Amino acid sequence: MSDITESRKPPVATTGILGWLRMNLFSNWVNSLISLFVLYILFQFVPWILNWTIFAADFKYNFNGEEIINREMCSRVLDPENGGACWAIIYVRFYQFMYGFYPREEVWRVNLSYIMLAVAVVPLLFDNFPFRKHFLKFTYVFPVIAFFLLNGGLGLESVSTNKWGGLLVTLVLGCTGIALAFPLGIILALGRRSNLPVISMMCTLFIEFIRGVPLITLLFFGMVMLPLFLPEGIDMDGLARVLVAVTLFQSAYMAEVIRGGLQAIPQGQYEAARSIGLSYWQMNLKVVLPQAIRISIPSIVNTSIGLFKDTTLVIIVGLLDLLGIGRGALADTTWLGLAYEVYFFVSLVFFIFTFAMSRYSLYLEKKLKTGINMGAD
Amino acid sequence: MKKLLSIFAVTVFAFSANAGTLDDVKNRGFLKCGVTTGLAGFAAPDDSGEWAGLDADMCRAVAVAVFGDRSKVEFITTTGKSRFPTLASGEVDMLARNTTWTISRDVNLGFEFVGVNFYDGQGFMIPSSLGVSSATELDGATVCIQTGTTTELNLADFFRLNGISYEALPIETNDEGKENLFAGRCDVYTTDASGLSSTRAAAADPGKWLVLPEIISKEPLGPLVRHGDHQWGDVVRWSLNAMIIAEELGVSSENVDAQKSSNVPEVLRLLGVEGSYGEMLELAPDWAYQIIKQIGNYSESYEANVGPDTPLEIARGLNALWTQGGILYAPPFR
C-alpha cells in the first residue's frame, strides 16, 4: 500500500470542457439523449424569448419612434408578425408598480425606507460586515423608524395604507411576516416541546389550527372578523389586519420547521447542557437553538420564500400588491390585453427576490457547513 | 357561512350605521368609496394612479355633492367576496362596485341599492368565422362558462328553453375564459356583456370576434349603501339621478354655466338657481351644478368610460335614456 509511483496525467476525456461535458451531459446514452433534447429545446426557445423580450421589444418608443401612450401604439399591436413585448405599460406605470398610490410628493419617504431597509438588513446577513455591531443597533430600531416614515406621524403627514400598493405592500408584508414569524415560531416550537402540558397543548392547538386552514381563510378572518373582536371604537387598519393574519400563518409553519431542527439535536446535548447547570433558557439559547436553527436553514428559507410568494393572495381581500397593481393595469382600457408583459415583469421581480433569498441560504449553508454530520463537526 | 356573515353584517350595522353617515363623511373630510380591484371601464387606476371608470365617476359624483371637490374621495379596493363585509362594517361609506341588485342583497344582507348606473346582462361572444348571427343557432356548441355563478344557471335555462344542446367547458376566471376562447377550445364564451366587451377589446384582433345580440339575464348594476341611513342613501341616490336628469335636460359639463340662465324651470331647479333642494339633502345649494361641472352628465361619463368610442365599444342599448329607446329613467327633479 505504500508504493510510490510517479503520478500520471488524467486521461484527456476526463478533464477540461470535454471531460465536463462527458461527465455531466453525455455519461451514458440515456443522458445523452436527454441532453440533446434539452439543447434542442433551448436552441428553439432562447433566441425567440430574447428576441421577444429585448431585441424586438418596445421600451418607451415604438418602431416609428413615437412615444407609446396606449396599447394601439405598441409595435406588437401595429405589426403582430414582428413586434416584441411592449414594455411601455411597465415604463409608464413604474411608479404604481413600486409604490402603488403613494402621494408623489411624499414618495421620498418610501425611497428612504427602502435604502434604510438595505442598511438594516445587509449587515445582519453578513457577519464580516465592517462595523457590524453598530449597524445592528440600527437594525433593531429600523422597524419603528420605517413605521413612522411610511405611515406618518411625528410631524410627517399621515398616508393611509389604502394608498400603499405595488412592491411596497409586497415588501411590507413579506418582511414583516418573515421577521415577526421567526421569534414567534421559535417560541411556539419550544412551547410545543415543553414538559408543561398546558403550554404544550396550547401551542400544539394553535399550530395545528393555523396550519389546518388555508392562508386565504386566515386573510378573510383578519379582514372581516378581526374587527368584530376589537372593542368598540378601535379601528384597526386594513393592512395591519392582514399583517396579523400573515404573521400568524407564517409563525405556525416556522414553528414546525424549527421543531424539526430541535428534534434532530441529540438528547446528549440537552443532558450535557443541564449537567453543567444551565437553566432552561440558557440551555436553549446557548446550546440547542443555535444548532437546531443551523440545520433548519434550508427549510426556514423555503417557507420564507413560500410566504413571500403567498403575499400575492392579499388581492382577495382587496389589497393591491405587486400582482394586484399589475392586474389593475390590465383593467385600464388604455392597456387592455398586454397581459404577457405585465405577468412577465411581475414574475421577474418575484424571481429576483426569491432567487436572492435562495442564494443567500446556500451561502449560509456553506459557511455553517450544515450538511456535515453534527457529531463530527 | 353566508348566513353567519349576514348576521354579522346586521350586528355590525346596528352598531355603526345609526350615526349619520353624511355627518361622518363631512367630519372626516373625504368619502370612502368601495370599488373593484380593477375592471375595465368601471373602475381601474389610470397611468397617473387616478381611478377612472363609470363606477369611479359615481364615487366622485358623491364626493362632489358633499364637498364640491372631485378629489375628496378615497378609493378602497374590494373583491367580489370582501365587498359586502367591507360595507357592512362601515369601512366604506358606499359601494360602487359592479354589484347586481338582487332581492337577497337588498333585503337579507341589509343593504340598500339606491339606483342603477349600468344595465348589464349575460351575453355570448363567438369568433365571427363561426358564421352565426343569433344565440339560438348555437346548437351543439362548446361553451366556456364560469362555474358556480348565476351565468351557469342562466345558460342552462336559455338552451333548454330553445330546445338546443351545448357542451360546457367549465372555467374559473374571466382570464381563463378569454384564453380558452382565443385558443379555440370553446366556440362560445358567455358572461356579462360588459365583460365580453372588455374581453373582445383585449383580443389581438377585436374584429375577429362578435358579441351576439341576445342578452339572457338581467344584471342591473348600481351603487349601494347600508340599510337604515336614509339621509345618506338619498345623497347617493340623487347624485346618480342628477347625472341622469342632466343628460335628459341636455345639461353637460360644457354648457352648464350657460344653462344657469336657462328658461326651463327643471334646469334651474337642478342647478340650484331656484328652490332649496340642496338644503333638503343637507348639501350645498349648487351640489348638482358641481357634479355636472366636475364629472359631467351620465352620457359624458358613459361615453368616456365604456361608450362606442372607447376600446370597450359598448353601445348605449338598455342604458340609453327612456326617451331614446333605453330604460334609463330618473324621477323628476322637483
Side-chain angles (χ1 to χ4, degrees):
Chain A
M1 297 303 275
S2 59
D3 289 352
I4 297 171
T5 52
E6 201 178 325
S7 62
R8 279 182 292 171
K9 278 190 177 162
V12 185
T14 62
T15 59
I17 299 175
L18 215 64
W20 185 89
L21 281 176
R22 207 177 139 165
M23 280 275 288
N24 294 292
L25 298 181
F26 302 101
S27 57
N28 58 38
W29 69 270
V30 178
N31 286 357
S32 303
L33 262 182
I34 294 173
S35 299
L36 284 175
F37 179 69
V38 171
L39 284 175
Y40 172 75
I41 299 271
L42 286 179
F43 182 73
Q44 287 288 309
F45 283 96
V46 170
W48 183 83
I49 286 175
L50 283 179
N51 188 50
W52 191 80
T53 53
I54 299 168
F55 301 119
D58 304 335
F59 290 91
K60 190 177 171 187
Y61 303 98
N62 64 12
F63 59 64
N64 292 330
E66 299 155 328
E67 189 171 341
I68 300 170
I69 52 162
N70 60 37
R71 170 182 184 266
E72 270 68 45
M73 294 175 75
C74 289
S75 299
R76 88 170 165 100
V77 176
L78 293 169
D79 179 6
E81 295 293 311
N82 302 312
C86 187
W87 298 118
I89 182 175
I90 311 292
Y91 177 81
V92 170
R93 290 179 168 248
F94 193 72
Y95 184 91
Q96 259 179 64
F97 276 105
M98 291 300 114
Y99 313 106
F101 309 108
Y102 213 87
R104 283 184 192 251
E105 58 274 18
E106 301 288 332
V107 78
W108 61 270
R109 286 156 52 178
V110 184
N111 287 328
L112 187 60
S113 308
Y114 283 169
I115 294 169
M116 282 174 23
L117 176 71
V119 174
V121 167
V122 173
L124 192 69
L125 299 182
F126 301 101
D127 60 4
N128 51 3
F129 198 85
F131 306 109
R132 185 166 184 254
K133 246 185 175 168
H134 302 289
F135 276 108
L136 288 190
K137 284 180 202 151
F138 175 71
T139 308
Y140 291 122
V141 290
F142 168 71
V144 182
I145 301 177
F147 173 79
F148 284 111
L149 206 52
L150 291 174
N151 193 50
L154 300 179
L156 287 170
E157 196 188 322
S158 154
V159 178
S160 154
T161 52
N162 286 316
K163 295 205 169 82
W164 301 19
L167 187 64
L168 174 62
V169 162
T170 301
L171 282 181
V172 165
L173 286 171
C175 293
T176 321
I178 292 167
L180 289 181
F182 190 59
L184 263 176
I186 292 177
I187 292 171
L188 283 170
L190 289 176
R192 190 169 183 175
R193 282 169 58 86
S194 166
N195 294 326
L196 308 170
V198 176
I199 289 183
S200 147
M201 214 162 70
M202 270 167 44
C203 290
T204 310
L205 263 177
F206 177 86
I207 292 170
E208 294 301 335
F209 173 72
I210 301 277
R211 274 204 317 167
V213 294
L215 179 56
I216 294 184
T217 315
L218 279 182
L219 288 175
F220 265 111
F221 175 84
M223 204 67 188
V224 178
M225 291 176 67
L226 203 60
L228 302 174
F229 296 130
L230 293 172
E232 184 72 16
I234 290 188
D235 206 9
M236 200 171 168
D237 185 84
L239 185 67
R241 279 180 278 159
V242 168
L243 262 178
V244 169
V246 165
T247 307
L248 292 183
F249 179 79
Q250 180 68 359
S251 64
Y253 275 88
M254 199 57 90
E256 287 301 276
V257 165
I258 290 169
R259 191 170 68 95
L262 289 174
Q263 273 172 344
I265 306 299
Q267 197 59 33
Q269 298 281 321
Y270 291 87
E271 286 163 4
R274 282 294 199 197
S275 68
I276 57 170
L278 296 185
S279 72
Y280 174 80
W281 287 108
Q282 283 173 326
M283 172 183 79
N284 276 313
L285 289 177
K286 291 186 190 302
V287 178
V288 179
L289 277 175
Q291 301 182 67
I293 289 172
R294 194 168 82 165
I295 50 177
S296 320
I297 286 173
S299 306
I300 290 175
V301 175
N302 196 27
T303 44
S304 298
I305 289 177
L307 176 78
F308 191 72
K309 291 188 292 181
D310 279 350
T311 55
T312 51
L313 289 175
V314 296
I315 190 163
I316 310 258
V317 290
L319 286 184
L320 295 182
D321 71 327
L322 192 64
L323 184 61
I325 289 284
R327 287 181 172 194
L330 291 178
D332 183 355
T333 41
T334 322
W335 298 108
L336 275 175
L338 296 180
Y340 297 132
E341 285 84 350
V342 167
Y343 288 127
F344 191 95
F345 173 73
V346 172
S347 330
L348 186 72
V349 175
F350 270 95
F351 179 77
I352 290 171
F353 280 96
T354 51
F355 188 67
M357 278 152 88
S358 137
R359 294 271 86 180
Y360 175 70
S361 145
L362 274 183
Y363 156 84
L364 262 192
E365 282 166 41
K366 248 187 209 154
K367 199 183 79 179
L368 301 174
K369 300 195 186 71
T370 51
I372 287 175
N373 184 302
M374 304 294 300
D377 189 18
Chain B
M1 189 64 195
K2 222 171 179 180
K3 196 150 196 186
L4 200 67
L5 273 182
S6 57
I7 291 171
F8 272 124
V10 172
T11 328
V12 173
F13 133 77
F15 279 114
S16 59
N18 280 344
T21 310
L22 181 59
D23 292 332
D24 289 350
V25 174
K26 280 180 177 168
N27 289 335
R28 194 191 304 129
F30 58 90
L31 170 78
K32 286 185 176 180
C33 191
V35 291
T36 66
T37 52
L39 182 67
F42 289 87
D46 68 9
D47 291 340
S48 55
E50 293 287 313
W51 286 84
L54 203 62
D55 282 342
D57 277 354
M58 186 65 241
C59 297
R60 288 190 197 278
V62 176
V64 170
V66 179
F67 299 106
D69 182 348
R70 73 196 300 273
S71 68
K72 291 265 166 73
V73 53
E74 194 168 291
F75 291 94
I76 298 193
T77 46
T78 58
T79 58
K81 293 189 180 75
S82 72
R83 56 185 165 182
F84 297 129
T86 310
L87 178 61
S89 67
E91 224 168 296
V92 293
D93 305 310
M94 60 177 283
L95 277 182
R97 202 213 161 276
N98 247 89
T99 305
T100 307
W101 184 350
T102 66
I103 181 170
S104 58
R105 287 168 177 177
D106 200 344
V107 178
N108 198 25
L109 282 180
F111 297 130
E112 189 175 334
F113 284 81
V114 298
V116 176
N117 69 341
F118 190 86
Y119 289 95
D120 211 340
Q122 187 178 344
F124 299 97
M125 187 163 102
I126 56 163
S128 35
S129 58
L130 206 61
V132 165
S133 57
S134 158
T136 51
E137 301 166 28
L138 287 172
D139 197 10
T142 308
V143 185
C144 277
I145 177 86
Q146 285 188 44
T147 49
T149 60
T150 48
T151 53
E152 197 177 12
L153 308 173
N154 295 335
L155 177 77
D157 286 356
F158 177 79
F159 274 75
R160 209 178 76 189
L161 269 175
N162 286 286
I164 50 180
S165 69
Y166 69 99
E167 199 177 317
L169 183 76
I171 50 158
E172 281 298 326
T173 63
N174 193 34
D175 284 342
E176 209 180 315
K178 198 182 330 190
E179 291 307 321
N180 275 306
L181 180 69
F182 291 169
R185 282 187 287 271
C186 49
D187 308 317
V188 190
Y189 177 40
T190 178
T191 186
D192 286 353
S194 58
L196 290 179
S197 298
S198 72
T199 305
R200 183 169 170 273
D205 182 2
K208 277 162 72 182
W209 307 95
L210 192 69
V211 177
L212 293 175
E214 279 88 356
I215 296 292
I216 62 167
S217 72
K218 291 188 289 186
E219 310 282 346
L221 311 176
L224 56 154
V225 298
R226 284 179 295 272
H227 236 312
D229 189 347
H230 299 296
Q231 182 198 27
W232 177 243
D234 288 342
V235 169
V236 181
R237 175 178 300 116
W238 284 95
S239 299
L240 171 62
N241 286 344
M243 291 174 78
I244 298 172
I245 293 166
E247 183 188 356
E248 208 177 303
L249 298 173
V251 183
S252 70
S253 59
E254 268 149 38
N255 68 14
V256 66
D257 286 310
Q259 291 279 5
K260 269 191 156 175
S261 49
S262 159
N263 52 15
V264 182
E266 194 167 8
V267 172
L268 298 179
R269 290 196 292 268
L270 178 69
L271 300 181
V273 181
E274 283 176 10
S276 53
Y277 300 97
E279 206 179 310
M280 289 179 197
L281 287 163
E282 293 191 27
L283 300 172
D286 66 342
W287 63 277
Y289 164 83
Q290 293 294 349
I291 292 180
I292 300 159
K293 178 89 184 159
Q294 298 187 31
I295 312 291
N297 63 31
Y298 181 83
S299 158
E300 287 175 280
S301 175
Y302 188 97
E303 298 299 333
N305 295 308
V306 294
D309 293 335
T310 66
L312 295 183
E313 296 179 34
I314 306 179
R316 280 299 284 271
L318 279 183
N319 293 293
L321 287 176
W322 61 288
T323 49
Q324 292 163 16
I327 55 172
L328 205 65
Y329 186 100
F333 203 96
R334 63 162 66 250

Short mmCIF file of all heavy atoms in Angstrom, two decimals, chain B residues 228-247:
data_model
loop_
_atom_site.label_atom_id
_atom_site.label_comp_id
_atom_site.label_asym_id
_atom_site.label_seq_id
_atom_site.Cartn_x
_atom_site.Cartn_y
_atom_site.Cartn_z
N GLY B 228 -80.91 51.61 6.51
CA GLY B 228 -81.24 52.32 7.75
C GLY B 228 -80.77 53.76 7.81
O GLY B 228 -81.18 54.49 8.69
N ASP B 229 -79.87 54.15 6.90
CA ASP B 229 -79.44 55.54 6.93
C ASP B 229 -79.99 56.22 5.67
O ASP B 229 -79.32 56.37 4.67
CB ASP B 229 -77.91 55.63 6.97
CG ASP B 229 -77.43 57.06 7.23
OD1 ASP B 229 -78.26 57.98 7.11
OD2 ASP B 229 -76.25 57.23 7.54
N HIS B 230 -81.27 56.63 5.77
CA HIS B 230 -81.95 57.11 4.57
C HIS B 230 -81.42 58.42 4.06
O HIS B 230 -81.38 58.67 2.87
CB HIS B 230 -83.45 57.20 4.85
CG HIS B 230 -84.03 55.88 5.20
ND1 HIS B 230 -84.06 54.83 4.30
CD2 HIS B 230 -84.54 55.40 6.35
CE1 HIS B 230 -84.58 53.77 4.89
NE2 HIS B 230 -84.87 54.09 6.13
N GLN B 231 -80.95 59.24 4.99
CA GLN B 231 -80.41 60.54 4.58
C GLN B 231 -79.22 60.33 3.65
O GLN B 231 -79.12 60.94 2.58
CB GLN B 231 -79.99 61.32 5.83
CG GLN B 231 -79.46 62.69 5.53
CD GLN B 231 -78.67 63.24 6.71
OE1 GLN B 231 -78.11 62.48 7.51
NE2 GLN B 231 -78.64 64.55 6.82
N TRP B 232 -78.34 59.44 4.04
CA TRP B 232 -77.15 59.16 3.23
C TRP B 232 -77.55 58.49 1.92
O TRP B 232 -77.03 58.81 0.85
CB TRP B 232 -76.17 58.31 4.02
CG TRP B 232 -74.96 57.92 3.24
CD1 TRP B 232 -74.58 56.66 2.90
CD2 TRP B 232 -73.97 58.78 2.67
NE1 TRP B 232 -73.43 56.67 2.16
CE2 TRP B 232 -73.03 57.97 2.00
CE3 TRP B 232 -73.79 60.16 2.65
CZ2 TRP B 232 -71.93 58.48 1.33
CZ3 TRP B 232 -72.70 60.67 1.97
CH2 TRP B 232 -71.79 59.84 1.33
N GLY B 233 -78.49 57.53 2.02
CA GLY B 233 -78.98 56.87 0.82
C GLY B 233 -79.52 57.89 -0.19
O GLY B 233 -79.26 57.79 -1.39
N ASP B 234 -80.21 58.90 0.32
CA ASP B 234 -80.76 59.93 -0.56
C ASP B 234 -79.66 60.71 -1.26
O ASP B 234 -79.77 61.04 -2.44
CB ASP B 234 -81.64 60.91 0.25
CG ASP B 234 -82.95 60.27 0.67
OD1 ASP B 234 -83.30 59.23 0.07
OD2 ASP B 234 -83.59 60.77 1.61
N VAL B 235 -78.59 60.99 -0.53
CA VAL B 235 -77.49 61.76 -1.13
C VAL B 235 -76.92 60.98 -2.31
O VAL B 235 -76.71 61.53 -3.40
CB VAL B 235 -76.40 62.05 -0.07
CG1 VAL B 235 -75.15 62.60 -0.75
CG2 VAL B 235 -76.91 63.02 0.97
N VAL B 236 -76.66 59.67 -2.09
CA VAL B 236 -76.08 58.87 -3.17
C VAL B 236 -77.07 58.70 -4.31
O VAL B 236 -76.72 58.85 -5.49
CB VAL B 236 -75.63 57.49 -2.63
CG1 VAL B 236 -75.00 56.66 -3.74
CG2 VAL B 236 -74.65 57.65 -1.48
N ARG B 237 -78.33 58.44 -3.96
CA ARG B 237 -79.36 58.23 -4.98
C ARG B 237 -79.48 59.45 -5.89
O ARG B 237 -79.48 59.35 -7.10
CB ARG B 237 -80.71 57.95 -4.32
CG ARG B 237 -81.87 57.85 -5.33
CD ARG B 237 -83.18 57.53 -4.66
NE ARG B 237 -83.12 56.27 -3.96
CZ ARG B 237 -83.24 56.12 -2.64
NH1 ARG B 237 -83.41 57.19 -1.88
NH2 ARG B 237 -83.17 54.94 -2.09
N TRP B 238 -79.53 60.64 -5.26
CA TRP B 238 -79.76 61.84 -6.06
C TRP B 238 -78.51 62.33 -6.76
O TRP B 238 -78.60 63.07 -7.74
CB TRP B 238 -80.48 62.91 -5.24
CG TRP B 238 -81.91 62.50 -5.12
CD1 TRP B 238 -82.48 61.81 -4.10
CD2 TRP B 238 -82.91 62.63 -6.13
NE1 TRP B 238 -83.78 61.51 -4.40
CE2 TRP B 238 -84.08 62.01 -5.64
CE3 TRP B 238 -82.95 63.20 -7.41
CZ2 TRP B 238 -85.26 61.95 -6.37
CZ3 TRP B 238 -84.14 63.15 -8.13
CH2 TRP B 238 -85.28 62.53 -7.61
N SER B 239 -77.35 61.90 -6.29
CA SER B 239 -76.14 62.21 -7.05
C SER B 239 -76.19 61.48 -8.39
O SER B 239 -75.85 62.04 -9.44
CB SER B 239 -74.89 61.77 -6.28
OG SER B 239 -74.81 62.45 -5.07
N LEU B 240 -76.63 60.21 -8.35
CA LEU B 240 -76.79 59.45 -9.58
C LEU B 240 -77.90 60.04 -10.44
O LEU B 240 -77.72 60.28 -11.64
CB LEU B 240 -77.08 57.97 -9.25
CG LEU B 240 -77.47 57.07 -10.41
CD1 LEU B 240 -76.35 56.98 -11.43
CD2 LEU B 240 -77.83 55.67 -9.91
N ASN B 241 -79.05 60.30 -9.79
CA ASN B 241 -80.18 60.83 -10.55
C ASN B 241 -79.86 62.18 -11.18
O ASN B 241 -80.27 62.45 -12.31
CB ASN B 241 -81.40 60.98 -9.64
CG ASN B 241 -82.02 59.61 -9.34
OD1 ASN B 241 -81.72 58.64 -10.04
ND2 ASN B 241 -82.84 59.54 -8.33
N ALA B 242 -79.08 63.00 -10.49
CA ALA B 242 -78.75 64.32 -11.04
C ALA B 242 -78.01 64.17 -12.36
O ALA B 242 -78.24 64.93 -13.30
CB ALA B 242 -77.90 65.11 -10.04
N MET B 243 -77.13 63.17 -12.43
CA MET B 243 -76.38 62.96 -13.68
C MET B 243 -77.31 62.51 -14.80
O MET B 243 -77.16 62.92 -15.96
CB MET B 243 -75.28 61.91 -13.47
CG MET B 243 -74.16 62.39 -12.57
SD MET B 243 -72.97 61.10 -12.18
CE MET B 243 -72.02 61.05 -13.69
N ILE B 244 -78.28 61.65 -14.46
CA ILE B 244 -79.20 61.15 -15.48
C ILE B 244 -80.13 62.28 -15.94
O ILE B 244 -80.36 62.48 -17.13
CB ILE B 244 -80.02 59.95 -14.93
CG1 ILE B 244 -79.06 58.80 -14.59
CG2 ILE B 244 -81.07 59.51 -15.93
CD1 ILE B 244 -79.71 57.65 -13.87
N ILE B 245 -80.65 63.04 -14.95
CA ILE B 245 -81.56 64.14 -15.28
C ILE B 245 -80.84 65.18 -16.13
O ILE B 245 -81.40 65.73 -17.09
CB ILE B 245 -82.13 64.77 -13.99
CG1 ILE B 245 -83.04 63.75 -13.29
CG2 ILE B 245 -82.90 66.04 -14.29
CD1 ILE B 245 -83.39 64.11 -11.87
N ALA B 246 -79.56 65.41 -15.80
CA ALA B 246 -78.79 66.40 -16.57
C ALA B 246 -78.72 65.98 -18.03
O ALA B 246 -78.87 66.82 -18.93
CB ALA B 246 -77.39 66.53 -15.98
N GLU B 247 -78.51 64.68 -18.27
CA GLU B 247 -78.46 64.24 -19.67
C GLU B 247 -79.81 64.48 -20.34
O GLU B 247 -79.90 64.97 -21.47
CB GLU B 247 -78.08 62.76 -19.77
CG GLU B 247 -77.97 62.35 -21.24
CD GLU B 247 -77.80 60.86 -21.47
OE1 GLU B 247 -77.69 60.11 -20.48
OE2 GLU B 247 -77.80 60.47 -22.64
#
